Amino acid sequence: CTVTTEACVDTMTRKGEWPEDLESQVWDGLKRLEERTGRVLGDDKKPLLVSVRSGAVISMPGMMDTILNLGISDDTVE
């Protein structure tokens, strides 16, 4: 699922409130990914691990955080 720059700007101008339908689009994208991989975000036996990255046109080292292994938990690594 890709969150566009336009959606990010819209969220900022709305003081953090997501644009209409964005949440459902994110959940739909996650569901498709879970179906394709046979894994589930948050599952402790067969977790879906995802990375969240910036898609900036111009590289800006240190300006945007990357989140790796979203979906991992203490139960997953035990």
Side-chain angles (χ1 to χ4, degrees):
C1 178
T2 300
V3 178
T4 65
T5 301
E6 182 179 308
C8 291
V9 170
D10 194 18
T11 299
M12 289 188 308
T13 60
R14 296 169 61 161
K15 298 183 178 158
E17 183 180 327
W18 283 18
E20 190 174 322
D21 296 331
L22 180 59
E23 183 173 2
S24 64
Q25 291 173 21
V26 171
W27 284 115
D28 289 347
L30 177 61
K31 185 70 172 167
R32 284 193 311 273
L33 187 56
E34 289 176 336
E35 289 169 355
R36 287 181 178 180
T37 61
R39 296 179 177 270
V40 177
L41 188 70
D43 187 89
D44 61 344
K45 301 290 184 218
K46 200 173 181 184
L48 172 66
L49 303 179
V50 297
S51 298
V52 181
R53 302 174 187 268
S54 161
V57 175
I58 300 169
S59 178
M60 297 182 287
M63 293 299 295
M64 298 185 182
D65 291 333
T66 296
I67 302 169
L68 301 174
N69 295 326
L70 181 67
I72 201 165
S73 68
D74 290 339
D75 293 334
T76 304
V77 295
E78 289 183 7

